[in-house]
């Protein structure tokens, strides 16, 4: 008999009918004899609705109160699912994060799980009950409700699976697995049978929101067998694995990730002296703004230009800080651009292949897409381009790296 943690995302519990369908599915699963812990998200759109309510009161909701508010979304779905299970004579019980005692740190709106008390869960499982746990939420040591950041129910699922040493953590969603790229943008995208933790972590970090980054980190760290599946369609889904099979079949690129979440800032004509990068980025970091890509130009006339990207939500804040710095350093000018996008190719196969980056640049050049910034690591290459070319770029790269589904491969 296996112990499985199953997480159902927002669209999968988006209506009462869907919740009934999920209950039906769990009932069938249970008939196979497995123990099941279920994690659910809020109904789709609900978390956004709650955040919007808070913003009607003020632009910057108090983080603690925002957590009290947004955690209610998941409290609704756990109760409804437990009711739907009991209606089908499946013994079930629902718990909030606090009731389980999913202990987190106190970083409201982006808390990290520190410890999970599995006592109640084990007792219920032993008594033959399906345990339904609210995703996305926990409690800090002072009893404050916390939430784990958008998409955090994935992390609840994986963390529970790790704590319970479950045989598998199954993430049920509205796609039947992890694809070579977002199938909503590239219809020719293909489902991957397997992807390594390392690649999945890059894909998630670089914008593929199919799994929350932290859930992948957690699964890698605690070696939790993780699978992404469609909630209502049969199929094997995608297994996230440790092993990198070095086969001839190994594609160089496993997937393409992208995001529109960043903005670019440039400071021109700063003196090219030691410590200047720190003078520019130190205040940005003190303002609690995270920097992603950084480019410093070769100096000319003893001055240089410096460009970096930040999250779009931090753009105004970063711009103000940079304008102050520019005055202090006597820089020539500051400019910014929010209409950028980042496109990244990801694959462990890159390690053993040279020339992947230039193949990427060639494909973009053919489409006349200008590259504004580049960053590389062992298993990824990212470029910043104008946002309006994002979809074109992703499609072109998908074709260039031979990721298109065979039936629709363009000539
Ligand atoms: P849930 O509400 O179930 O958590 P999400 O919306 O968070 O679902 O994640 C599923 C979505 O992720 C898909 O509908 C898809 O559009 C998007 N997505 C982005 N990149 C990928 C990818 N590489 N493979 C599969 N889905 C992806
Ligand atoms: N409901 C939360 C969100 O929308 C958490 C989740 O769905 O994973 O971000
Ligand atoms: Mg999600």
């Amino acid at each position: 008999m296996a112990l499985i943690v199953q997480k159902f995302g927002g669209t999968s519990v988006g209506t009462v009918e869907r919740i009934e369908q999920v209950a039906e599915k769990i009932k069938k699963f249970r008939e196979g004899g497995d123990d099941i812990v279920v994690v659910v998200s809020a109904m789709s759109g609900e978390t956004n609705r709650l955040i919007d309510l808070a913003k009607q009161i003020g632009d910057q909701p108090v983080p603690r109160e925002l957590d009290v508010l947004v955690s209610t979304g998941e409290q609704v779905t756990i109760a409804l699912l437990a009711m739907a299970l009991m209606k089908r004579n499946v013994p079930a019980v629902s718990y909030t994060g606090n009731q389980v005692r999913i202990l987190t740190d106190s970083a409201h709106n982006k808390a990290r799980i520190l410890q999970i008390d599995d006592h109640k869960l084990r007792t219920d499982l032993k008594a033959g009950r399906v345990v339904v746990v609210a995703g996305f939420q926990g409690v800090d040591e002072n009893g404050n409700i916390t939430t784990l950041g958008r998409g955090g129910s994935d992390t609840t699922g994986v963390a529970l699976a790790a704590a319970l040493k479950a045989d598998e953590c199954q993430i049920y969603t509205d796609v039947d697995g992890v694809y070579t790229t977002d199938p909503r943008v590239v219809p020719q995208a293909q489902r991957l049978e397997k992807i390594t933790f390392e690649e999945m972590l890059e894909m998630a970090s670089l914008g593929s929101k199919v799994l929350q980054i932290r859930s992948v980190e957690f699964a890698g760290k605690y070696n939790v067998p993780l699978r992404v599946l469609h909630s209502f369609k049969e199929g094997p889904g995608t297994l996230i694995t440790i092993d990198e099979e070095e086969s001839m079949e190994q594609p160089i690129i496993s997937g393409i990730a992208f995001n529109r979440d960043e903005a670019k800032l440039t400071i021109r004509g700063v003196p090219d002296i030691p410590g200047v990068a720190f003078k520019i980025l130190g205040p940005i970091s003190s303002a609690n703004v995270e920097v992603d890509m950084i480019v410093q130009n070769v100096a000319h006339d003893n001055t240089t230009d410096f460009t970096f990207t930040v999250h779009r939500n931090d753009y105004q804040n970063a711009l103000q800080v940079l304008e102050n710095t520019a005055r202090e350093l006597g820089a020539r000018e500051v400019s910014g651009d929010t209409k950028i996008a980042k496109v990244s190719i990801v694959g462990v196969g890159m390690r053993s292949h040279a020339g992947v980056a230039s193949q990427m640049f060639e494909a973009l050049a053919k489409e006349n897409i200008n590259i504004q910034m580049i960053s590389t690591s062992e298993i990824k290459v990212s470029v910043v381009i104008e946002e309006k070319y994002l979809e074109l770029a992703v499609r072109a790269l998908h074709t260039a790296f031979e990721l298109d589904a065979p039936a629709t491969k363009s000539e």
Side-chain angles (χ1 to χ4, degrees):
M1 203 173 69
L3 169 56
I4 313 284
V5 175
Q6 302 187 325
K7 177 256 170 178
F8 290 87
T11 39
S12 315
V13 294
T15 60
V16 169
E17 290 72 38
R18 293 244 169 105
I19 291 175
E20 301 252 24
Q21 258 178 291
V22 168
E24 224 21 78
K25 186 179 175 97
I26 295 169
K27 177 180 171 158
K28 290 221 181 76
F29 227 94
R30 280 251 312 173
E31 284 161 4
D34 292 339
D35 278 340
I36 298 183
V37 173
V38 191
V39 172
V40 283
S41 290
M43 290 171 140
S44 58
E46 179 63 6
T47 309
N48 287 342
R49 188 185 73 86
L50 293 167
I51 293 172
D52 183 59
L53 287 177
K55 292 209 163 150
Q56 287 179 36
I57 299 203
D59 270 356
Q60 307 256 311
V62 177
R64 181 190 182 280
E65 304 311 324
L66 188 62
D67 277 349
V68 174
L69 177 69
V70 294
S71 62
T72 60
E74 273 73 9
Q75 191 167 338
V76 170
T77 45
I78 52 169
L80 292 173
L81 181 58
M83 289 174 198
L85 285 165
M86 286 187 266
K87 181 166 104 178
R88 289 168 174 77
N89 294 320
V90 177
V93 58
S94 72
Y95 293 122
T96 62
N98 187 11
Q99 287 175 311
V100 172
R101 202 141 198 273
I102 298 181
L103 182 70
T104 71
D105 60 20
S106 303
H108 286 289
N109 312 158
K110 48 175 190 281
R112 278 184 184 269
I113 296 177
L114 301 175
Q115 204 186 328
I116 293 182
D117 183 351
D118 64 358
H119 185 79
K120 265 199 194 121
L121 310 182
R122 290 204 188 273
T123 309
D124 285 311
L125 291 173
K126 210 171 270 170
R129 286 187 277 270
V130 170
V131 188
V132 186
V133 179
F136 179 53
Q137 55 178 263
V139 64
D140 75 2
E141 59 178 1
N142 299 316
N144 298 299
I145 296 174
T146 54
T147 64
L148 311 178
R150 299 307 304 267
S153 299
D154 296 334
T155 304
T156 307
V158 175
L160 281 172
L164 293 165
K165 299 190 177 56
D167 295 281
E168 188 164 283
C169 179
Q170 301 174 341
I171 305 285
Y172 287 96
T173 181
D174 57 2
V175 271
D176 63 348
V178 177
Y179 275 64
T180 46
T181 193
D182 191 338
R184 287 180 211 280
V185 170
V186 181
Q188 296 90 332
Q190 302 189 66
R191 181 178 58 82
L192 299 164
E193 278 300 317
K194 294 202 253 182
I195 182 167
T196 65
F197 281 116
E198 219 183 344
E199 288 170 321
M200 193 61 237
L201 197 58
E202 286 284 2
M203 291 282 281
S205 316
L206 296 167
S208 301
K209 288 174 185 139
V210 59
L211 286 175
Q212 196 199 31
I213 303 170
R214 282 189 187 163
S215 73
V216 187
E217 276 171 7
F218 226 101
K221 187 164 165 195
Y222 295 98
N223 210 352
V224 176
L226 183 62
R227 197 182 282 277
V228 175
L229 302 132
H230 197 288
S231 297
F232 305 117
K233 286 185 206 151
E234 291 299 316
T238 300
L239 184 67
I240 327 291
T241 62
I242 309 178
D243 58 307
E244 269 174 42
E245 271 172 39
E246 287 294 337
S247 72
M248 296 293 285
E249 314 283 292
Q250 173 79 51
I252 300 172
I253 299 304
S254 295
I256 301 173
F258 54 86
N259 76 49
R260 299 178 173 89
D261 301 340
E262 289 181 32
K264 190 178 75 167
L265 294 124
T266 300
I267 178 166
R268 289 201 175 78
V270 289
D272 188 34
I273 48 171
V276 75
F278 175 64
K279 283 207 173 105
I280 293 169
L281 295 180
I284 298 282
S285 147
S286 305
N288 242 331
V289 173
E290 261 183 61
V291 170
D292 180 25
M293 284 161 96
I294 304 170
V295 173
Q296 183 181 339
N297 287 0
V298 172
H300 181 70
D301 296 336
N302 296 324
T303 69
T304 186
D305 303 340
F306 202 91
T307 303
F308 57 95
T309 64
V310 299
H311 197 283
R312 254 184 225 186
N313 295 344
D314 293 326
Y315 175 69
Q316 285 304 339
N317 194 357
L319 190 61
Q320 252 177 23
V321 174
L322 194 62
E323 275 165 356
N324 287 339
T325 309
R327 269 193 294 277
E328 278 167 29
L329 294 179
R332 198 163 56 243
E333 67 169 339
V334 166
S335 62
D337 187 356
T338 55
K339 294 202 164 46
I340 58 159
K342 184 165 80 174
V343 183
S344 311
I345 54 174
V346 174
V348 291
M350 258 185 234
R351 283 198 183 113
S352 45
H353 284 81
V356 179
S358 55
Q359 207 181 330
M360 178 185 198
F361 305 152
E362 184 188 10
L364 295 172
K366 272 193 189 147
E367 300 296 338
N368 251 326
I369 299 171
N370 188 39
I371 299 171
Q372 304 178 0
M373 297 173 87
I374 300 169
S375 105
T376 65
S377 81
E378 222 189 349
I379 66 162
K380 69 119 206 257
V381 183
S382 300
V383 297
V384 167
I385 58 170
E386 217 181 314
E387 184 180 0
K388 69 177 179 201
Y389 296 123
L390 174 62
E391 297 193 357
L392 177 63
V394 176
R395 291 202 185 111
L397 292 170
H398 202 265
T399 305
F401 286 101
E402 297 178 0
L403 297 173
D404 292 350
T408 50
K409 205 172 217 163
S410 46
E411 298 302 82

